Amino acid sequence: MALATRRLAIVTGSNKGIGYAIVKALCKQFDGDVYLTARDVGRGQAAVEELNKQDLKPKFHQLDVTDTDSVAAFAKFVADNYAGIDVLVNNAAIAFKAAATEPFGVQAEETIRVNYFALRTVCDALFPLLVSGARVVNVSSSAGRLSVIPSEELRQTLSSPQLSTDELDTLMRQFVEKAKSGNHEQFGWPSSAYCVSKVGVSALSFIQQREFDVDPRKDIVVNSVHPGYVDTDMTSHKGPLTIEEGADAPVYLSLLPPGEQNFKGRYVWNDRSIKDWSNC
């Protein structure tokens, strides 16, 4: 089968909220196929139909980022049908509500599993398919800045330019283990699983950029982004920003021009400003 020559953009967790708005914007600005992905086929197809009514033409593929078989099937579909991936936006994530009754250890395990390790799984499967000049956007949060970690020792480790993915994985697992034991604060972790998961995403983004800097494929750029406090289900609709406003910075980073040097391995705010992750 001949591979499609059209360029390819993929947005995970995009049947609603910021992900949906990112797909909508990319359909208008990206020259190629834009894939809206969702765990639930019905919801994903309904989102595509809604965008079709606006004369936008996203494509749909089922993708449950927490299901390795689903991720593998999607990677095979991409490899079988496209020459490679030009844009990957890792948006899929969860957040427990303040009123959640699950024990903190359960919240920690599930949040890290979805927000950090599932993102890692997607990257492991799709990164080999990235083409030269590809743009990767990992949706983090203001909660993902380094200063939310109380321990100076942990902050130094997380911000080390020598930190590896394996070492970061170990730290994320350590947090879950301590949260389950009820002594995570004694080991310098905050009592917010969401914060830790997004710190992990931010730290991972820097590692990924360092690895791509020595990759034979040229000009692959990875950034993490805080989309702002947006009116979505995740914020219980308390955020002041619209989903379109939340999509602005992720879309900007998705469409960075060739040879970009300023926005490369950065922690970017929703107003498109670069923040010093270690000190903001």
Side-chain angles (χ1 to χ4, degrees):
M1 176 178 11
L3 297 177
T5 57
R6 288 177 62 76
R7 299 175 73 226
L8 173 62
I10 295 164
V11 185
T12 70
S14 48
N15 64 284
K16 64 178 182 177
I18 296 170
Y20 177 85
I22 293 171
V23 168
K24 181 178 178 180
L26 287 175
C27 283
K28 297 176 181 177
Q29 301 176 50
F30 176 75
D31 182 20
D33 290 344
V34 181
Y35 271 83
L36 183 154
T37 68
R39 178 179 54 188
D40 184 279
V41 172
R43 291 175 182 171
Q45 290 175 338
V48 166
E49 289 172 10
E50 185 60 36
L51 290 171
N52 284 340
K53 292 176 185 175
Q54 302 174 45
D55 202 30
L56 303 172
K57 304 296 181 185
K59 296 181 179 293
F60 173 72
H61 200 286
Q62 192 273 344
L63 176 61
D64 180 349
V65 298
T66 67
D67 182 340
T68 54
D69 290 339
S70 174
V71 174
F74 183 56
K76 183 178 187 305
F77 167 81
V78 172
D80 288 348
N81 290 278
Y82 290 89
I85 300 168
D86 297 272
V87 173
L88 173 61
V89 181
N90 287 305
N91 169 73
I94 64 166
F96 281 84
K97 306 298 184 188
T101 57
E102 293 87 347
F104 183 66
V106 172
Q107 295 186 34
E109 184 169 42
E110 182 66 3
T111 304
I112 299 298
R113 181 181 80 88
V114 176
N115 294 2
Y116 176 79
F117 282 108
L119 185 149
R120 283 268 285 109
T121 299
V122 170
C123 291
D124 286 347
L126 298 185
F127 274 12
L129 305 177
L130 293 175
V131 299
S132 292
R135 303 295 184 245
V136 178
V137 181
N138 294 327
V139 178
S140 183
S141 167
S142 60
R145 63 193 188 280
L146 186 62
S147 60
V148 304
I149 304 297
S151 164
E152 181 178 352
E153 182 179 353
L154 279 175
R155 292 197 303 271
Q156 289 179 350
T157 302
L158 285 161
S159 60
S160 168
Q162 280 75 49
L163 183 68
S164 69
T165 49
D166 286 345
E167 289 166 339
L168 182 55
D169 288 353
T170 298
L171 287 170
M172 294 295 106
R173 292 191 184 100
Q174 179 203 94
F175 164 68
V176 172
E177 175 193 331
K178 301 306 180 188
K180 286 174 140 184
S181 300
N183 60 353
H184 56 282
E185 291 184 341
Q186 296 172 35
F187 285 85
W189 294 103
S191 288
S192 169
Y194 184 76
C195 284
V196 175
S197 74
K198 291 302 188 177
V199 166
V201 169
S202 301
L204 178 64
S205 303
F206 307 136
I207 295 170
Q208 291 171 338
Q209 184 64 68
R210 291 198 293 270
E211 292 174 345
F212 281 127
D213 284 343
V214 295
D215 194 285
R217 292 168 292 180
K218 301 300 182 186
D219 193 30
I220 294 179
V221 172
V222 184
N223 290 291
S224 64
V225 61
H226 161 50
Y229 193 33
V230 180
D231 180 357
T232 64
D233 288 349
M234 189 174 285
T235 66
S236 300
H237 299 281
K238 293 177 180 176
L241 302 181
T242 65
I243 57 172
E244 288 78 16
E245 289 171 322
D248 178 79
V251 171
Y252 175 75
L253 296 172
S254 299
L255 302 176
L256 290 170
E260 173 61 42
Q261 293 300 320
N262 291 329
F263 290 91
K264 189 174 184 182
R266 302 289 196 170
Y267 179 56
V268 182
W269 220 244
N270 64 294
D271 61 1
R272 303 184 184 182
S273 65
I274 295 171
K275 299 295 185 185
D276 180 355
W277 181 68
S278 298
N279 293 294
C280 69

